[in-house]
Amino acid sequence: MRLDVVTIFPEYLEPLNVSLVGKARARGSLDVHVHDLRDWTYDRHNTVDDTPYGGGPGMVMKTEPWGEALDQVLADGYEAGRGAPALVVPTPSGRPFTQELAVELSERPWLVFTPARYEGIDRRVVDEYATRMPVYEVSIGDYVLAGGEAAVLVVTEAVARLLPGVLGNAESHRDDSFAPGAMANLLEGPVYTKPPRWRGRGIPDVLLSGHHGRIARWRRDEALRRTTAHRPDLIERCDPAAFDKKDRETLSILGWAPEPGGRFWRKVEDVEE
Ligand code: JDQ
């Protein structure tokens, strides 16, 4: 997979050289190129921003440097015979970046990222490239960053670990929470390793019991406990068929009961407390 990133802070993308993404690059599964947007400015001050039409605070990134940068990055890629590019535009007003979208992006041969600063990029730039290629405007969460670079690192790491051969076998065959199509998207419960006693704290007995069935049940119950506590929305949108008899028992102990349609809904008694 080829990745191009156009930014006014190329040094912010240095982490792409290390760890998982760095290994993927070293192995040849990933070819990353970071470009300085200011290389496509021609005035003395390398201007990339200007005041917003309609007034208001802050500055907006100008059309021309983005247009020239993207035209060249795209032309170079087409010349090298790469597949169809997709543009990935981090923005707080984008569609939520999910594991499902990470899988979709990981199946593309070539991603071009446009992390902005200030109040974002003049809208005409996205509108223009959207006539030529798929454009993904993505938000990595409901909080406000100062620019898109951190979002590029997040998206890149989520995508890179899905590329064939990037993770070791042990890691790659685990079934992730949030894997699309998983029956129940539950959060994972706690994990433990040696030593068996640390600062007076032991390991749950069941994990030392050797009873694989009981261990699996305990893990499932812990997953249900964590999910109801931190992400009740995941329980509410679950297919009721995802819960077996024991799951229902556990959910009931946690204060959840099925509504008439079968979906799980928090018990009224708990809401009123
Ligand atoms: C940019 C900004 C508009 C703040 C400029 C470029 N999930 C997520 N949060 N924040 C971003 C993404 C993000 C992405 C790119 C960005 C923020 N800013 C600052 C722009 C309104 C508020």
Side-chain angles (χ1 to χ4, degrees):
M1 169 182 276
R2 162 89 180 205
L3 301 183
D4 287 281
V5 186
V6 182
T7 172
I8 60 168
F9 293 125
E11 67 280 11
Y12 204 124
L13 283 303
E14 274 294 303
L16 295 178
N17 296 324
V18 299
S19 190
L20 180 134
V21 176
K23 272 180 217 152
R25 295 178 70 177
R27 284 188 191 172
S29 341
L30 203 57
D31 181 17
V32 182
H33 292 257
V34 179
H35 313 270
D36 188 340
L37 180 67
R38 293 195 203 272
D39 291 351
W40 289 277
T41 59
Y42 306 102
D43 65 312
R44 234 165 33 90
H45 296 107
N46 302 116
T47 310
V48 294
D49 62 319
D50 206 338
T51 53
Y53 276 119
M59 299 292 271
V60 174
M61 295 192 95
K62 293 168 68 59
T63 51
E64 300 97 318
W66 282 108
E68 298 218 11
L70 290 172
D71 283 352
Q72 185 169 342
V73 165
L74 292 166
D76 290 353
Y78 285 124
E79 208 169 304
R82 261 170 243 127
L87 210 57
V88 183
V89 185
T91 163
S93 43
R95 67 193 260 204
F97 181 64
T98 59
Q99 187 64 24
E100 191 177 357
L101 188 49
V103 169
E104 186 178 330
L105 294 180
S106 75
E107 289 164 353
R108 304 203 62 103
W110 180 15
L111 301 175
V112 180
F113 291 91
T114 60
R117 285 274 149 174
Y118 311 102
E119 304 297 306
I121 307 172
D122 186 308
R123 183 68 214 173
R124 292 169 293 180
V125 174
V126 166
D127 292 346
E128 166 72 10
Y129 290 94
T131 67
R132 310 192 204 163
M133 67 193 68
V135 174
Y136 298 87
E137 291 185 86
V138 298
S139 163
I140 61 160
D142 292 340
Y143 38 78
V144 182
L145 301 171
E149 287 78 8
V152 171
L153 295 177
V154 167
V155 171
T156 301
E157 185 158 319
V159 168
R161 68 182 285 285
L162 297 173
L163 298 177
V166 169
L167 290 188
N169 276 355
E171 291 162 287
S172 60
H173 292 307
R174 68 202 296 281
D175 106 62
D176 299 343
S177 319
F178 302 116
M183 266 297 262
N185 272 164
L186 300 179
L187 304 183
E188 289 180 10
V191 294
Y192 301 86
T193 186
K194 272 72 73 183
R197 202 146 195 90
W198 181 74
R199 300 191 181 177
R201 297 168 185 277
I203 305 295
D205 286 336
V206 63
L207 296 181
L208 307 171
S209 70
H211 280 96
H212 299 302
R214 280 188 218 161
I215 291 170
R217 186 64 247 168
W218 180 84
R219 286 190 169 143
R220 178 95 178 157
D221 287 344
E222 289 301 311
L224 288 166
R225 189 194 307 284
R226 245 187 122 71
T227 309
T228 54
H230 294 168
R231 294 294 305 278
D233 59 304
L234 293 180
I235 303 280
E236 282 158 15
R237 80 161 101 107
C238 246
D239 183 340
F243 300 118
D244 67 15
K245 196 150 171 269
K246 285 290 297 176
D247 291 340
R248 285 155 196 277
E249 252 173 67
T250 301
L251 284 167
S252 159
I253 291 164
L254 293 170
W256 287 70
E259 58 177 1
R263 298 216 164 244
F264 272 86
W265 203 257
R266 211 184 218 312
K267 270 186 185 160
V268 176
E269 296 86 351
D270 285 4
V271 173
E272 284 171 347
E273 275 174 6

